[in-house]
Amino acid sequence: MAAVENVLALSSCLDDSASNNNRLAKERNVAKPNYQGEKRRKDLAKKAKKEEKRLRKLEAKENPSSEDADAPESAGAPEGIQDAE
């Protein structure tokens, strides 16, 4: 009989602690992180970056002369290095 009383006492203690935890959580009103919103913002930023890159490539393909003007004249060795021949 004493074992049954101990089990009942323990279960009532557990119920009380669970209800206290729920009550405390409601009082704190802790905001949960919005992982889906964060993922969406990252995906949108990634898509925007890809679109900008695609447009730059398309523009460079249409106007190859403007890309040549931006590139350095010598594609070989850096200045100051001479061939030993």
Side-chain angles (χ1 to χ4, degrees):
M1 245 357 214
V4 173
E5 290 175 1
N6 287 339
V7 170
L8 291 175
L10 286 174
S11 67
S12 67
C13 288
L14 291 176
D15 290 340
D16 290 341
S17 65
S19 65
N20 285 339
N21 287 339
N22 289 337
R23 183 179 52 82
L24 291 174
K26 288 179 182 178
E27 287 176 3
R28 282 186 262 155
N29 290 331
V30 177
K32 295 190 301 185
N34 187 359
Y35 294 113
Q36 289 180 340
E38 187 175 329
K39 182 179 179 184
R40 179 167 165 71
R41 283 189 295 274
K42 285 182 182 180
D43 287 343
L44 289 174
K46 191 184 290 186
K47 285 180 182 180
K49 187 175 179 182
K50 281 186 177 183
E51 180 66 17
E52 288 176 13
K53 184 176 181 181
R54 186 186 70 81
L55 291 174
R56 280 195 316 266
K57 284 185 175 184
L58 182 64
E59 186 178 321
K61 194 175 192 179
E62 290 175 356
N63 301 326
S65 61
S66 65
E67 184 178 308
D68 291 339
D70 294 339
E73 291 181 19
S74 64
E79 291 182 30
I81 299 177
Q82 298 175 355
D83 290 334
E85 292 182 26

